[in-house]
Amino acid sequence: MKSINYEKHLEIRAEYDVIVAGAGPAGICAAVAAAREGARVALIERYGIVGGNLTTGYVGPILGMVSRGTMRDEIVELLGVPENDMIGETGRAHDFEKAKFALAEFVCHPNIDVYLQCAVCDVIKEGDSVAGVIVAGGEGTFALAAKVTIDTTGDGLVSYLAGAPTEKGRDDGLMQPVTLEFTIDDVDESRGVICIGDVDDVRLGDERFLDYCKRCADEGKLPQHLAAVRLHPTTRAGQRQVNTTQANGVDMTKPEQIFPAEHELRRQIHLLVDFLRENVPGYEKCRCTSSGTTTGVRETRRVMGDYVITAKELATGCRFEDVVVHRAEFIVDIHNPAGAGQAEEHIQYCDPYDLPYRCFTPRGVENLYVAGRCISGTHRAHASYRVMSICMAMGEAVGIAAAMCAERGCTPRQLSVGDLQQRMVAKGIELFD
């Protein structure tokens, strides 16, 4: 393979207390939390709008639960979503158009500079410490410096570029499939079934709806890998949020794999709408009205930190002295990397668990936090904590921590976790039983 040597003089456009890379659920909470602590913050987002899976990814409902008093509560209220249980049985997918403005308002803070349509393409390192990032924008590349950087890219990109150890997928390397969610309308509410996912026993006549879908797949009316048809209600009557399209064997950190996956998922949207119209009562007149503008990614890199949490710990409701996310709760939800539905025969439920501070500090790198689905855990643990409610609480915790580090002139490993906990509790965040 040919190679070149590339060298370029870059301006440091600005210096900040905290850089947050990625404006998804974890990133917006990290940025706002740090800004409210008085830190000057740069929030960098590769797309033209903030919110990540809350907006561009088109993911709903907002799944998972955490303790009282976190920004998760604030955002759910901001989006006008009724309080829902951990698996969304009473919840509805939020209004994505409303979210686009509401979350822009949320991050519109005097201490935050938002860099939209800008992608992190490298990091600035001084020894083992991250001192900033290189950003590619409409005017080319430029540098931003910061005392502390937070990686909320989902893919662990900043951590990877900084040399932190990462892992992908399960033991055979396969990762959970990617999905493109979409919305349909003109559903007859008096007959149209609602199915929240693989744990739902809703019936269609005398048959479990998901068993009916599997039978249709066996009969060739659906591809086998689309046998789990998930139909969520939305905030509007007659609508459903469809979480069914699926592309297996895709690594979304590999640029050459992204377009083929996107193309296939959009083909599946048309196939699924036709299936619903022809086979499911109440859906005879349904039509697709909108869809995600970027592929929904469940799993790529996991950044190995000072502690690696396991699914066994989550299942037993683990508690940690250095807790910064408390009473997180969701099933171990592993979408099958090699087929439809769940990867495991029996779904593992979790007691409300803690996430320790050490999961957010990438191993071997200083002045860097990670938050969101790419924190330090195993493949199975990741399948529980990757959902948006829990990611929001992660982002808020490290945002406060990063601001404290900048204020005190210390690194994340030097910060007193007890002091961080005290500050969080003073804000009304429940951290202890």
Side-chain angles (χ1 to χ4, degrees):
M1 180 179 295
K2 292 182 178 180
S3 63
I4 63 170
N5 290 321
Y6 180 77
E7 183 176 331
K8 186 176 183 179
H9 179 78
L10 296 179
E11 65 166 321
I12 297 177
R13 181 161 296 188
E15 298 184 23
Y16 294 91
D17 295 314
V18 177
I19 287 174
V20 180
I28 58 175
C29 290
V32 172
R36 289 177 181 176
E37 292 297 305
R40 187 170 179 233
V41 180
L43 176 60
I44 306 167
E45 170 54 45
R46 60 177 172 166
Y47 297 117
I49 196 161
V50 301
N53 278 334
L54 288 164
T55 52
T56 56
Y58 232 68
V59 176
I62 299 170
L63 297 180
M65 293 297 292
V66 289
S67 62
R68 291 187 297 270
T70 72
M71 280 183 176
R72 185 262 182 194
D73 299 340
E74 184 177 347
I75 288 179
V76 165
E77 182 177 357
L78 189 68
L79 299 183
V81 180
E83 183 63 25
N84 61 313
D85 62 12
M86 75 167 186
I87 52 175
E89 288 176 344
T90 60
R92 297 177 178 272
H94 58 281
D95 184 326
F96 298 103
E97 287 304 312
K98 178 178 181 178
K100 291 173 184 177
F101 176 68
L103 298 179
E105 288 276 281
F106 179 66
V107 302
C108 190
H109 189 285
N111 285 358
I112 302 176
D113 291 337
V114 181
Y115 293 82
L116 292 181
Q117 298 185 4
C118 289
V120 172
C121 58
D122 210 342
V123 298
I124 306 166
K125 287 191 73 177
E126 297 175 355
D128 291 333
S129 294
V130 173
V133 296
I134 307 300
V135 178
E139 296 179 318
T141 52
F142 58 92
L144 298 175
K147 298 173 183 176
V148 183
T149 298
I150 303 174
D151 182 353
T152 52
T153 60
D155 296 326
L157 177 61
V158 176
S159 304
Y160 171 75
L161 293 171
T166 61
E167 294 183 0
K168 290 181 181 177
R170 58 190 189 184
D171 290 343
D172 61 4
L174 289 179
M175 290 170 274
Q176 293 192 56
V178 296
T179 289
L180 193 59
E181 291 200 20
F182 63 99
T183 303
I184 56 176
D185 69 0
D186 290 338
V187 177
D188 183 345
E189 288 288 3
S190 67
R191 297 184 299 136
V193 68
I194 290 171
C195 181
I196 65 167
D198 304 271
V199 297
D200 199 335
D201 288 325
V202 65
R203 308 196 69 81
L204 188 66
D206 295 330
E207 190 174 12
R208 182 174 180 255
F209 176 67
L210 287 172
D211 292 338
Y212 168 76
C213 293
K214 185 179 185 306
R215 179 164 62 82
C216 286
D218 291 340
E219 294 171 357
K221 296 176 182 178
L222 268 177
Q224 286 288 341
H225 61 288
L226 299 184
V229 180
R230 309 171 189 94
L231 303 166
H232 294 268
T234 78
T235 55
R236 295 179 182 271
Q239 282 189 344
R240 295 290 184 271
Q241 184 73 8
V242 187
N243 178 2
T244 303
T245 66
Q246 179 171 314
N248 293 92
V250 178
D251 182 347
M252 291 295 284
T253 68
K254 305 291 188 184
E256 66 275 11
Q257 296 185 23
I258 296 174
F259 177 73
E262 175 89 6
H263 185 213
E264 169 59 19
L265 293 172
R266 295 204 178 276
R267 184 187 72 84
Q268 292 175 14
I269 290 176
H270 295 281
L271 186 154
L272 282 160
V273 170
D274 288 344
F275 167 78
L276 292 169
R277 284 176 178 164
E278 295 169 7
N279 297 281
V280 182
Y283 286 79
E284 294 89 350
K285 297 180 180 180
C286 75
R287 64 192 180 100
C288 177
T289 59
S290 50
S291 61
T293 55
T294 184
T295 309
V297 182
R298 294 182 177 90
E299 181 179 18
T300 51
R301 298 185 188 95
R302 304 188 311 280
V303 181
M304 296 298 100
D306 294 328
Y307 190 83
V308 181
I309 200 161
T310 69
K312 183 177 180 180
E313 290 173 305
L314 306 189
T316 56
C318 57
R319 294 289 181 267
F320 294 95
E321 288 188 6
D322 61 338
V323 53
V324 292
V325 175
H326 183 48
R327 296 187 66 81
E329 188 175 1
F330 196 64
I331 61 173
V332 177
D333 184 25
I334 308 177
H335 291 241
N336 194 346
Q342 290 285 305
E344 299 178 346
E345 184 177 355
H346 300 290
I347 291 177
Q348 181 173 328
Y349 289 80
C350 296
D351 288 336
Y353 55 83
D354 288 351
L355 294 174
Y357 181 81
R358 291 162 290 162
C359 284
F360 304 93
T361 49
R363 197 181 304 159
V365 183
E366 297 292 345
N367 291 326
L368 179 64
Y369 284 111
V370 63
R373 64 176 167 85
C374 52
I375 69 164
S376 181
T378 64
H379 164 74
R380 296 189 71 250
H382 159 275
S384 176
Y385 60 65
R386 65 179 175 82
V387 293
M388 292 192 289
S389 290
I390 302 173
C391 290
M392 291 176 199
M394 295 183 202
E396 181 179 13
V398 300
I400 295 169
M404 291 177 68
C405 289
E407 173 191 324
R408 299 182 178 192
C410 67
T411 69
R413 287 186 175 83
Q414 293 168 340
L415 181 67
S416 165
V417 179
D419 288 353
L420 169 61
Q421 291 170 333
Q422 287 180 14
R423 189 161 310 187
M424 293 176 70
V425 169
K427 290 180 169 294
I429 299 171
E430 182 185 87
L431 282 183
F432 306 102
D433 293 331

